Amino acid sequence: MELERRAFVKGAAATAAGGALGLLGVVSGAEPALAATSPTLRQGSHGTAVRSLQRRLSYLGYWCGAVDGVFGGMTRSAVIALQKVARIARDGICGPVTWSKVRAGVRPAARTHSGHVIEVHRDRQVLLVVDSGRVRTILAASTGSENPYYSQGRWWSARTTPGRYRVYLQRNRWDSGPLGSLYRPMYFNGGIAVHGYTSVPTYPASHGCVRVSIAAMNLLWLGGRMGIGTGVNVY
């Protein structure tokens, strides 16, 4: 979220099995079976192949909501998160190239080796929920655009500054500010927050905050995944 917000601010998930190796990891072992054929899938698709994709994404840690055989917005976000990590086209469509990465088990490695931490990878534009060095959940995100912008009589930089922080304030509602409203924000660096938003582009687009989908923000509020005191490492 926007840096100047500091003046206005006072005072059901998937579990990834296996660890990550190096910058990118692969997961092997007792994997859920994939569909015998791999048709191109996109939002609106449904059926057995979608269910197989959802099971595999969930197994790898890419949160897609319920495994219901319906390719909706949450499944699309999970596909985009995998595409970001794999450094392939971020179109939310599971075609031949994306299927190959799904089968290969591509997933990010944690940089934190102890404790419960939220990691924000600006380069790949993903948010990771990490426990004791294991990546549990991977969410598509959009961080600061790095572009200058003018607000309240001065220029600011739309930057999500790297560093180690902790959540110090949370708002369990839409929180209004000079540049818009944030859904259930968790503030960790002045007016900068992880928050839900109706639009989460595949590229850096915020004024400094870490945007995730509305559904993903609801997930982060559940089960102690994120709250007051949670470490947030931005790199």
Side-chain angles (χ1 to χ4, degrees):
M1 180 48 196
E2 303 71 26
L3 299 177
E4 73 270 26
R5 286 183 57 84
R6 184 66 182 91
F8 293 83
V9 180
K10 303 294 184 183
T15 299
L21 303 175
L23 186 59
L24 287 180
V26 295
V27 175
S28 59
E31 302 171 3
L34 295 178
T37 59
S38 303
T40 296
L41 303 174
R42 54 173 49 85
Q43 193 158 355
S45 298
H46 57 86
T48 301
V50 174
R51 193 181 299 273
S52 295
L53 172 63
Q54 291 171 328
R55 286 194 183 114
R56 178 63 170 165
L57 289 169
S58 296
Y59 178 79
L60 295 172
Y62 296 96
W63 184 69
C64 60
V67 177
D68 57 7
V70 178
F71 197 124
M74 287 182 283
T75 300
R76 182 177 184 274
S77 292
V79 169
I80 287 173
L82 181 141
Q83 291 172 334
K84 288 177 171 184
V85 172
R87 297 189 186 279
I88 58 178
R90 305 172 177 183
D91 58 8
I93 298 172
C94 192
V97 175
T98 300
W99 268 116
S100 71
K101 303 303 181 182
V102 171
R103 287 195 179 89
V106 173
R107 61 198 305 269
R111 295 194 183 183
T112 306
H113 303 296
S114 63
H116 177 79
V117 180
I118 300 297
E119 294 188 12
V120 178
H121 198 308
R122 298 186 309 155
D123 181 37
R124 289 196 168 108
Q125 292 290 284
V126 291
L127 179 151
L128 314 179
V129 180
V130 178
D131 282 306
S132 300
R134 298 180 65 186
V135 177
R136 298 290 188 178
T137 307
I138 308 158
L139 301 172
S142 179
T143 62
S145 68
E146 300 285 343
N147 295 323
Y149 66 94
Y150 192 79
S151 177
Q152 296 185 305
R154 59 163 289 187
W155 286 95
W156 306 85
S157 175
R159 179 173 174 78
T160 309
T161 305
R164 293 177 177 266
Y165 308 94
R166 289 194 178 275
V167 175
Y168 73 93
L169 179 66
Q170 61 187 25
R171 297 292 192 210
N172 192 11
R173 54 178 167 76
W174 282 96
D175 196 23
S176 298
L179 296 177
S181 295
L182 316 180
Y183 181 70
R184 304 184 81 180
M186 300 274 188
Y187 294 95
F188 62 89
N189 179 21
I192 304 295
V194 174
H195 68 85
Y197 205 64
T198 54
S199 172
V200 185
T202 60
Y203 52 87
S206 81
H207 290 93
C209 278
V210 181
R211 292 187 195 175
V212 297
S213 70
I214 298 295
M217 198 64 211
N218 287 337
L219 175 75
L220 290 175
W221 271 77
L222 291 175
R225 289 180 181 86
M226 194 172 186
I228 299 295
T230 301
V232 180
N233 294 350
V234 179
Y235 49 84

